Amino acid sequence: MNKPTRRTSKSTSDEPAHEAWFSIRVDLVEGRGEHCWPRPGRLIAAAPRHSFAQLASAIDRAFARWDISHLHQFELADGTKIGRPDPDFDEEILDERRERLSQLHPSEQFVYVFDFGDYWAHLCTVAQESVDPLAVLGLVPREPLPYFGWGSIPDQYGRAWDEDDSSSPPPPDPELRDLPPLQPGWGATSAGRLGRTPGLETRTAAVLIL
């Protein structure tokens, strides 16, 4: 097997906190055999010293994935693949824990795929302008973090409720009656009154009788 070609990184060591950070736009394009439209997305602030492994973790958190045991992989425009090398597979892939984001360039686009079965595919676009993490996040984090987003994030397994088996109808809406009375309108005695004008039902009934 030929050793994968390593793209040249500017640096693999820690860089100062005042360095220019990338703004990476991540659009969720497809998953579970369906195209997403409108496409939900996130803007992620990431430093050149961060690894692709750290970027993958940030993307998965930003898209609300809780089962992160699945394989994932980046693919750059030149065909370079970055992920977790597996000795059982004869595939050229660079180690995401060693590859740094410093090899990225403004306007560069690449793909991130999470879970090769459900195939959640994202288009990642490096912005032309860098960002100041203090300005967009209020701090200089140790790892990449999202700072803006839009769209409804689909559930990782397509579940709409905790016991969704993909064939049963959704349970009836308890209208807050199943909740403990820890907020106004919660609980069996007050649920169902939210949004109703006190006495409205009585006045309506009186009008009908007249």
Side-chain angles (χ1 to χ4, degrees), residues 96-139:
E96 64 179 4
R97 295 163 293 186
R98 298 181 57 193
E99 297 300 308
R100 304 293 167 174
L101 303 184
S102 55
Q103 62 190 275
L104 296 176
H105 307 286
S107 300
E108 184 170 357
Q109 292 186 301
F110 55 98
V111 172
Y112 173 66
V113 175
F114 172 82
D115 186 351
F116 297 157
D118 286 338
Y119 205 83
W120 295 101
H122 314 70
L123 174 64
C124 305
T125 305
V126 183
Q128 279 279 3
E129 303 295 329
S130 61
V131 293
D132 179 355
L134 282 174
V136 297
L137 293 168
L139 75 162

Side-chain angles (χ1 to χ4, degrees), residues 8 12-13 30 34 52 65 87 91 110 132 143 175 178 180-181 192 201:
T8 303
T12 57
S13 61
E30 60 183 319
E34 297 181 357
F52 277 87
R65 289 168 191 139
E91 183 179 16
F110 55 98
D132 179 355
E143 297 183 346
E175 297 183 348
D178 60 324
E201 296 86 350

Side-chain angles (χ1 to χ4, degrees), residues 197-210:
T197 304
L200 178 62
E201 296 86 350
T202 303
R203 294 199 298 271
T204 303
V207 170
L208 291 176
I209 292 173
L210 292 175

Side-chain angles (χ1 to χ4, degrees), residues 172-195:
D173 183 359
E175 297 183 348
L176 309 181
R177 289 188 297 271
D178 60 324
L179 299 176
L182 301 178
Q183 288 284 295
W186 288 17
T189 58
S190 56
R193 298 178 185 175
L194 281 178

